């Protein structure tokens, strides 16, 4: 197998384009919508620290492994895994890892698109000036008027899925490359503006304290007042959620980064690119937290209020600040774009496989897989209205909660660890050393140590702990 071969689907035009595209995949709703609300639900600072440690020790090494497998195989993750396994005399059943990724990508996209639909709806609400003068109750009512309506959610979900299919159908180069180049930096600047606003809310230090001060008790003990007595319960689950989020936010463990790696030019440093992607991704998440928590505390909101958090805090800020209509609309437009550059990577592994193995055109492959995902999204839509009641829940989780838990906390870490095991234990040392091409042997040895020992052990301990095995 020569590693100079190219993907039939095309190639990024430069090293920078790979970084931008992969950062586009990584930076998305996970950073701006999910990170703040799960941090709020899981007690703050100590949760953030666990998440950062996971990014560093698990996320970056696995990202390098995933990119290297993709670039070596140059095909859809399913075929890449099968080919690489065959090249090393291993069982072609490794292709199943690619299948699990396709499944995880579809499950994630089905709810991702619904939430991106909320962001779309909020673009128009902001532009229409609906946030002006709203108080805490007003933003809540506005939010509920959206999520309680299956018809509205379905309409926005449909539009977003169309947008995704449209770009994916265009192919690697003509799709998002141009948009990513401008929109990602703009998003970054607007996040800084929001943090600037948060600094003047009067609760900036309280917000920072919540986000960064490590209080492990707040994370692992959940306390409730029952009959006037405080009852606290210990659980490892926040650690699993922090780790799962490291995979989710870096787009790891389901083939998105692998398929992007397969379009990467040969002589580009995988390590440097991975570190840059992780830095960009983490910075956006922390900025989002720094913008949101001060607003939460300044307005007496509840940090643990769940998935509606940014849709109920940021409108308060936009409703009060000068040019809030403009900034509000711009912010939600950028959020939609961040979601868009991620959603295409969630479906690309499936589309690439349909093109390779079933001879579909990109258009047909995009429509086919997009329709399946669209249909599944209806379950998430109902989770917020018709099926929100306990009668429709499993283990206390709605359909949406269940999908989110299953993908982020189980499938992605499992996929990531299998990728690490493949790259660290099964693939020949020459192959990974050649593909990574690190400047110093010590760097290569550290990477290999991390993927061989640290990541599998850490992921299994965290999983088994959270599932109550020990
Ligand atoms: N990383 C994206 C985000 O944070 C979500 C994603 C997960 C994209 C997995 C691709 C694969 O929003």
């Amino acid at each position: 197998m020569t590693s100079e071969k190219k993907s039939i689907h095309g190639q990024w035009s430069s090293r920078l384009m790979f970084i931008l595209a992969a950062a586009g995949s990584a930076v998305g709703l996970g950073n701006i919508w999910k990170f703040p609300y799960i941090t709020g639900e899981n007690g703050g600072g100590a949760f953030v620290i666990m998440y950062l440690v996971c990014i560093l020790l698990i996320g970056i090494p696995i990202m390098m492994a995933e990119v290297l497998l993709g670039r070596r195989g140059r095909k859809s993750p399913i075929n890449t895994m099968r080919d690489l396994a065959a090249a090393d005399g291993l069982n072609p059943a490794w292709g199943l890892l690619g299948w699990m990724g396709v499944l995880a990508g579809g499950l994630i996209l089905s709810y991702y698109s619904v939430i991106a639909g909320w962001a779309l709806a909020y673009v128009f609400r902001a532009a229409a000036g609906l946030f002006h003068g709203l108080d805490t109750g007003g933003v809540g009512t506005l939010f509920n008027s959206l999520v309680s309506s299956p018809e509205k959610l379905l309409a926005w979900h449909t539009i977003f899925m169309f947008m995704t299919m449209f770009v994916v159908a265009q192919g690697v180069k003509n799709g998002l490359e141009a948009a990513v180049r401008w929109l990602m930096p703009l998003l970054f600047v607007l996040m800084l503006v929001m943090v600037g606003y948060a600094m003047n809310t009067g609760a900036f230090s309280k917000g920072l304290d919540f986000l960064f001060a490590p209080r492990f008790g707040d994370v692992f003990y959940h306390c409730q007042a029952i009959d006037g007595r405080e009852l606290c319960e210990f659980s490892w689950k926040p650690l699993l959620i922090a780790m799962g989020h490291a995979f989710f936010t870096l787009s790891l463990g389901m083939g998105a980064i692998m398929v992007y790696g397969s379009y990467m030019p040969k002589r580009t440093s995988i390590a440097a690119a991975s570190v840059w992607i992780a830095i960009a991704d983490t910075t956006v998440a922390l900025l989002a937290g720094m913008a949101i928590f001060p607003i939460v505390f300044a307005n007496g909101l509840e940090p643990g209020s769940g998935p509606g958090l940014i849709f109920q805090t940021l409108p308060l800020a936009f409703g009060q600040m000068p040019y809030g209509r403009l900034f509000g609309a711009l912010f939600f437009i950028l959020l939609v774009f961040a979601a868009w550059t991620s959603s295409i990577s969630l479906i690309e592994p499936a589309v690439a496989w349909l093109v390779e193995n079933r001879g579909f055109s990109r258009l047909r492959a995009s429509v086919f897989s997009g329709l399946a995902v669209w249909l599944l999204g209806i379950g998430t839509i109902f989770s917020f209205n018709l099926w929100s009641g306990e009668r429709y829940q499993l283990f206390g989780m709605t359909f949406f909660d269940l999908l989110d838990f299953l993908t982020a906390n189980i499938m992605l870490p499992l996929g990531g660890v299998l990728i690490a095991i493949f790259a660290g234990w099964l693939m020949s040392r020459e192959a990974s050393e050649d593909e990574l091409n690190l400047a110093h042997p010590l760097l290569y040895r550290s990477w290999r140590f991390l993927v061989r020992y640290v990541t599998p052990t850490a992921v299994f301990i965290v999983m088994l702990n959270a599932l109550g095995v020990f």
Side-chain angles (χ1 to χ4, degrees), residues 439-456:
H440 200 284
L442 197 62
L443 284 175
Y444 177 76
R445 262 186 270 147
S446 325
W447 169 79
R448 198 171 156 86
F449 178 75
L450 287 171
V451 288
R452 280 165 76 99
Y453 302 102
V454 178
T455 57

Side-chain angles (χ1 to χ4, degrees), residues 55-127:
I55 295 275
L56 208 65
L57 290 186
I58 305 178
I60 295 179
I62 292 190
M63 177 173 287
M64 290 169 61
E66 198 168 330
V67 177
L68 99 80
L69 295 187
R71 191 166 72 178
R72 196 118 189 127
R74 292 272 188 233
K75 287 189 181 160
S76 68
I78 296 172
N79 291 327
T80 285
M81 289 312 302
R82 225 198 26 223
D83 287 3
L84 292 180
D88 280 317
L90 303 162
N91 195 326
W94 275 96
L96 288 176
L97 178 55
W99 280 108
M100 182 170 88
V102 164
L103 181 66
L107 296 178
I108 295 176
L109 184 55
S110 77
Y111 72 79
Y112 205 83
S113 166
V114 174
I115 312 293
W118 298 359
L120 266 174
Y122 268 68
V123 170
F124 294 93
R125 293 172 158 209

Side-chain angles (χ1 to χ4, degrees), residues 22-34 105 108 112 245 247-257 281 338-339 341-343 345-347 412:
S25 165
V27 176
L29 295 174
N31 307 62
I32 298 170
W33 159 74
K34 194 173 180 190
I108 295 176
Y112 205 83
H245 189 63
F247 283 93
F248 183 87
T249 192
L250 291 178
S251 305
L252 295 178
M254 52 70 59
I257 289 295
D281 188 71
T341 53
S342 301
S343 67
S345 70
L346 282 163
I347 206 170
L412 299 186

